[in-house]
Every structure is written in C-alpha cells, then in structure tokens.
C-alpha cells in the first residue's frame, strides 16, 4: 500500500486538464466531446481545451494507467459507434482522490488565512457554502 | 440526437464538410502514431464543436473558434513532435507546405482587403473634414500578418523538401533571404501599424493632427519593413529561378513558379523606385500602395497555384511509413 502511495505521489500535482478529465470521469464513462462539455460546465466556461489538448492529455493518462477505454456504451442506438468511451481505473480513482485532497488542503489553508472571507467581503463571487467555519473540516484526514 | 450521424459519415453533415476536411488535413502536423490513434476522434470532436459554434451564430464567434482550434493544434502538434523526436516524413512536410500556401493565399486576400481599407482611410482622411469611419480598423487587421509570414515560410519549407538536393546551395541561400526578409518585414510592419493605429485613433480629422509621424519612428519602421520586403522578394525571385532550372515541380506544374518570378519583377521595380525616390506626399503613397496591392494580389494567386502544385507533387512521393499496428484507428 505504501509503495502504491509513493507511486501515485510522484504524479502529483496533476495538470489542470488532467485533473478535470479525471474529475469528469469520476462521474461515469464519457467520450471526448462529453468530456469537453463537462470541463466547460465545471469551470463555468473559463476553461475550454481544444481537441489537441484533450487527446494529448488522454494519451498521457492512458499511458500512466489512470484511465482506460471502455467497451460499454450507454445507448448504442443514440450514439456514433466509432466514438470511444473512457473510464477511470482504480489507480486513476485513487490519484484523483489524492489530488482532490491536496487541493482541498490548499483551499482550507486559504480559508484559514481569510482569503475566502475577503473575497466574500469584497463582493466577489464565491460558491454557496464556501467560507463557513470548518466547512472543509472533514478533508485532509484520509491520507 | 447525436451531432454525429449514425453511419459515421461526418462529411455528409450539412455545413461541416469543408471545415472537417481542412481540420483532418491539418492533423498531418501530428506524428503518424498519434494521428492514427486519435485523429478520427479529434475530427469528430472538432465537427461537433464546429456545429455548436455555427448554431450559436456570429462571424466573430466562428473566427474565435478557428483561432482557438488552430492555436491548440499548433501548440499540441509541436509538443507531440518534440516528444517523438521531430521525425516527419518528407511527403508530410511537402503536403503541409502545400496546405500552408493554400491557407496563406486566403489570408493574403484578407490582408489585402485590410490594406485597401488603410489606403481608403488615408484618401478619405485628406478629403473629408470628419475623417474616415473605418480609421484604424485596417491597421488592427494587419496584426494577422505574422500568421501569413509563418504560412509562407512553411510553404517554402515544403517546396524545399520536395527537392532540396536539386536546388543546392543557391536554393538554401534563397530560402534564408526569404526567411530573414519576411521576419524583418513582419516585425517592422506590425510595429508601424501599431504606431499609426495609435496615432490615427487619437485624430478626429487628418487635417488637425500629424497622422504621418510625430516621433519619426513610423518612417523608420516602414523603411525596415520595406527593406525586409525587398530582401524577401529577391529571395523569392532567386528561388523561383533555381527551382525552375532544377525542374522542382512535376511536368506541367511549373506555371506557378513562372508566375512567381514574373510577378516579382514589376513588384521589385516599384519597390526599388520607392526606395530611391521617396513619395513627396500622401497621394504618392496611395499610388504606390495601389501598385503594391496589385503585387500582393499576384502573390496570393501564386501562393494558391503553388500550394496546389505542391500538393499534387506530394501525392507522387512515396507514402509515409505505416503507423504501428497497435495504433489502429477507431473500430468500426
């Protein structure tokens, strides 16, 4: 288990595109265009990678064994059969988890320094619920 | 309903065929293994995204869409090529050169339109008390000039790859002259455009401010751009002659090279006369601009014909080595 953790640790921090792909695939199998749509939706349209960026990252994640191609098709009658679907491997899931926890600790640190509070005070947009005391208290202990 | 047809024939989707084919052709920039593994999916994603952009409508949105796609392709293809050790088959280099020249001819026409707008600006600015309503817009469009320089250089690299052993040292010298000239012309031209754009924007009318130069830098930048242009023209002329003598293009396809040489001669004469006898006023500049625009139009036509001829020649070259069997395309 320790060796596996070390194996994952050297992959972190993930690039934003890699984490967004893993994050999208954590919700289930997706094809390329669905991944782009989900990334755009998650980032409220601020991050819209092109096909080259997406498939270059998919290739790297495939090579690292973090994702794999899926033969399961959600509904073959409604889809182009040449589309390939991707899904997380167990290793990919753990890597995404570790990266999410790393980011959560950063946000916790930002919160403890009142950065999120200041953003709220100055009227900048923040997610509902962010900034409340101890809202990230449950993360960081899973490592 | 999926944006992609069920029988998988994206090219039959209305309005997507030409962009789809162009994007597929541009995928040649990626290494063969990458292209075989992901090329089909990438064109699908592109076509679906393109249809979505068309549905949202607007020329500016489509223009931005293409800019993002081309930038994404240029950056990731370069990164993949660097990772793989930048091995590109000769036929791929030649084909890319042909495509670049075809794209370059289209961009050249667009830049000509911008140049015409600038000339019109000057004409209107000197006759109308309120100045031209288009003032400054042509200069902004000229910012696309670096893309044209890159496309022309890629085209020349493709042409050179077609027969570098036959054109020898003279061909290499000519290519170097063209590259140096294009870079100097582009950088100085952009600088001059930015200067004139900032000055023109501040003017209500040409009569109440000096649109030609308040610092003297504009004329210097224009001189560098003109000299760069001259060097590139000399290089192009030299390369045309060398390539013609070496029969670089297949039989029956030498017309573009002949045209390239023929169109550069009057262009060069105008350039040299412009350098020797500076124009006394704006009207002189407008006259010279008009002549030069005809020269640029000739370059656009030559680029198109040359691009087409290079693509024809590329089809006669031995094909690139096949990709590994493991990198098979999408299963049917």
């Amino acid at each position: 288990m320790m060796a596996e953790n070390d194996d994952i640790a050297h992959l972190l921090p993930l690039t934003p595109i890699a984490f967004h792909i893993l994050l999208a695939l954590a919700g289930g199998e997706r094809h390329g265009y669905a991944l782009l749509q989900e990334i755009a939706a998650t980032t409220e349209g601020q991050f819209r990678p092109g096909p080259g960026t997406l498939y270059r990252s998919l290739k790297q994640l495939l090579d690292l064994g973090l994702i794999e191609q899926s033969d399961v098709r959600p509904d073959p009658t409604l889809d182009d059969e040449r589309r390939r679907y991707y899904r997380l491997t167990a290793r990919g899931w753990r890597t995404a988890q570790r990266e999410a926890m790393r980011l959560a600790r950063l946000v916790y640190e930002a919160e403890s320094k009142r950065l999120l509070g200041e953003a709220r005070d100055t009227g900048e947009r923040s997610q509902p619920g962010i900034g409340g005391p101890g809202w990230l208290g449950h993360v960081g202990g899973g490592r | 309903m999926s944006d992609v047809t069920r029988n998988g024939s994206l090219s039959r989707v209305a309005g997507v065929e030409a962009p789809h084919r162009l994007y597929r052709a541009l995928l040649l920039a990626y290494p063969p293994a990458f292209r075989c593994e992901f090329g089909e999916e990438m064109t699908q994603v592109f076509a679906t995204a393109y249809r979505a952009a068309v549905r949202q409508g607007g020329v500016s949105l489509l223009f931005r869409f293409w800019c993002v796609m081309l930038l994404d392709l240029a950056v990731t293809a370069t990164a993949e090529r660097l990772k793989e050790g930048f091995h590109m088959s000769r036929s791929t280099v030649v084909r890319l050169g042909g495509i670049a020249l075809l794209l370059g001819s289209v961009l050249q026409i667009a830049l000509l339109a911008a140049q015409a707008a600038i000339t019109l600006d000057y004409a209107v600015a000197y006759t109308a008390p309120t100045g031209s309503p288009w003032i400054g817009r042509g200069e902004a469009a000229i910012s696309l000039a670096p893309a044209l320089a890159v496309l022309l250089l890629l085209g020349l690299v493709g042409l050179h790859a077609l027969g570098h052993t036959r054109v020898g040292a003279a061909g290499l010298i000519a290519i170097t002259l063209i590259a140096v000239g294009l870079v100097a012309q582009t950088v100085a031209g952009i600088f001059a455009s930015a200067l004139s754009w900032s000055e023109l924007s501040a003017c209500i009318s040409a009569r109440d401010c000096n649109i030609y130069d308040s610092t003297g830098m504009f004329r210097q930048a224009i001189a560098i751009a003109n000299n760069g242009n001259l060097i590139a023209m000399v290089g192009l002329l030299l390369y045309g002659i060398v390539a013609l003598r070496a029969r670089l293009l297949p039989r029956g396809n030498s017309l573009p090279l002949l045209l390239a040489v023929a169109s550069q001669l009057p262009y060069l004469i105008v350039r040299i006369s412009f350098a020797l006898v500076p124009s006394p006023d704006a009207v002189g500049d407008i006259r010279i601009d008009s002549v030069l625009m005809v020269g640029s139009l000739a370059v656009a036509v030559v680029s198109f014909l040359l691009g087409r001829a290079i693509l024809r020649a590329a089809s006669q070259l031995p094909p690139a080595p096949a990709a590994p069997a493991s990198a098979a395309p999408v299963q049917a």
Side-chain angles (χ1 to χ4, degrees):
Chain A
M1 188 65 183
M2 183 70 78
E4 191 183 46
N5 277 345
D6 290 344
D7 182 38
I8 289 174
H10 86 274
L11 298 175
L12 305 182
L14 295 175
T15 59
I17 177 73
F19 183 63
H20 277 297
I21 291 172
L22 296 184
L23 191 61
L25 292 179
E29 292 159 3
R30 302 273 189 279
H31 54 70
Y33 187 67
L35 282 171
L36 288 184
Q37 282 181 308
E38 183 148 346
I39 291 170
T42 309
T43 59
E44 296 178 331
Q46 289 179 354
F47 184 35
R48 291 176 182 274
T53 307
L54 175 73
Y55 281 97
R56 214 172 156 250
S57 303
L58 284 174
K59 181 176 186 287
Q60 287 165 349
L61 294 173
L62 284 166
D63 291 345
L64 288 168
L66 301 184
I67 63 171
E68 62 189 1
Q69 282 180 43
S70 166
D71 296 328
V72 180
R73 312 192 69 77
D75 187 351
T77 59
L78 291 177
D79 206 0
D80 178 6
E81 60 188 7
R82 293 177 310 166
R83 270 183 171 166
R84 277 189 291 196
Y85 280 74
Y86 300 92
R87 68 178 168 212
L88 281 183
T89 59
R91 186 170 186 241
W93 184 273
R94 282 192 298 275
T95 307
Q97 251 181 341
R98 290 277 297 272
E99 178 69 354
M101 285 191 285
R102 189 187 70 81
L103 293 171
R105 276 193 295 276
L106 282 179
V107 177
Y108 183 76
E109 186 70 17
E111 187 198 22
S112 71
K113 292 180 178 168
R114 306 190 64 79
L115 285 174
L116 297 178
E118 278 179 25
R120 195 181 54 228
D121 294 343
T122 54
E124 286 181 28
R125 187 171 52 183
S126 59
Q127 296 295 319
I130 289 181
W135 70 278
L136 281 172
H138 63 288
V139 298
R143 190 161 186 172
Chain B
M1 180 69 189
S2 166
D3 282 322
V4 183
T5 51
R6 286 182 199 173
N7 64 5
S9 177
L10 259 175
S11 59
R12 291 178 205 167
V13 180
V16 179
E17 190 176 354
H20 175 226
R21 284 173 62 184
L22 177 61
Y23 188 76
R24 184 189 286 276
L26 290 171
L27 290 182
L28 278 170
Y30 290 97
F34 186 89
R35 205 164 58 233
C36 281
E37 193 172 357
F38 297 111
E40 189 65 34
E41 280 185 85
M42 286 170 72
T43 45
Q44 284 184 23
V45 167
F46 168 84
T48 314
Y50 182 79
R51 275 171 60 87
V54 169
R55 266 200 304 271
Q56 287 175 39
V59 175
S60 63
L61 188 75
L62 270 183
F63 181 74
R64 204 171 59 182
F65 174 84
W66 269 110
C67 287
V68 169
M69 287 293 154
L70 292 179
L71 187 68
D72 173 70
L73 191 138
V75 170
T76 54
T78 308
E80 277 300 308
R81 287 279 176 190
L82 287 172
K83 200 172 123 192
E84 306 256 328
F86 232 102
H87 298 301
M88 199 185 268
S89 75
R90 186 170 151 235
S91 63
T92 304
V93 175
V94 174
R95 208 168 286 135
L96 270 179
I99 294 167
L101 280 179
L102 288 181
L103 287 175
S105 65
V106 175
L107 193 54
Q108 176 81 296
I109 298 286
L111 287 174
L112 263 174
Q115 185 65 43
I118 294 172
T119 306
L120 192 67
D121 273 348
Y122 289 157
V124 175
Y126 267 83
T127 52
T130 53
S132 160
W134 298 96
I135 221 151
R137 295 189 187 187
E139 279 82 352
I142 293 288
S143 58
L144 286 172
L148 178 64
V150 169
L151 288 172
L152 291 181
L153 279 176
L154 277 176
L156 286 167
V157 169
L159 182 64
H160 197 61
L162 200 57
H164 59 94
T165 51
R166 278 180 280 165
V167 292
L172 196 61
I173 290 169
I175 289 266
T176 309
L177 283 176
I178 296 168
V180 169
L182 276 178
V183 170
Q185 180 193 354
T186 307
V187 173
I190 290 290
F191 185 63
S193 292
L195 274 177
S196 82
W197 184 77
S198 63
E199 289 194 9
L200 285 166
S201 302
C203 295
I204 297 170
S205 160
R207 289 174 180 169
D208 60 12
C209 80
N210 177 13
I211 65 166
Y212 271 119
D213 222 355
S214 57
T215 58
M217 288 165 70
F218 179 78
R219 284 234 175 242
Q220 282 179 24
I222 286 291
I224 293 171
N226 284 340
N227 289 333
N229 183 255
L230 194 62
I231 292 169
M233 294 302 109
V234 170
L236 193 55
L237 188 64
L238 179 62
Y239 198 86
I241 293 168
V242 171
L244 271 176
R245 284 185 55 144
R247 295 172 197 268
L248 200 58
L249 290 174
R251 186 185 286 266
N253 282 299
S254 296
L255 179 68
L257 281 175
L258 271 172
L259 279 176
V261 172
S263 67
Q264 294 316 302
L265 283 173
Y267 198 36
L268 268 176
I269 292 167
V270 173
R271 273 284 178 223
I272 291 167
S273 66
F274 186 31
L276 294 177
V277 188
S279 62
D281 54 18
V283 178
D285 276 359
I286 290 165
R287 267 203 304 269
I288 287 170
D289 272 356
S290 308
V291 176
L292 294 182
M293 276 192 280
V294 174
S296 297
L297 186 62
V299 170
V301 172
V302 166
S303 296
F304 180 79
L305 293 173
L306 204 53
R308 213 175 56 165
I310 290 175
L311 284 178
R312 277 185 193 154
S315 65
Q316 293 171 16
L317 289 174
S326 59
V330 183
Q331 68 274 17

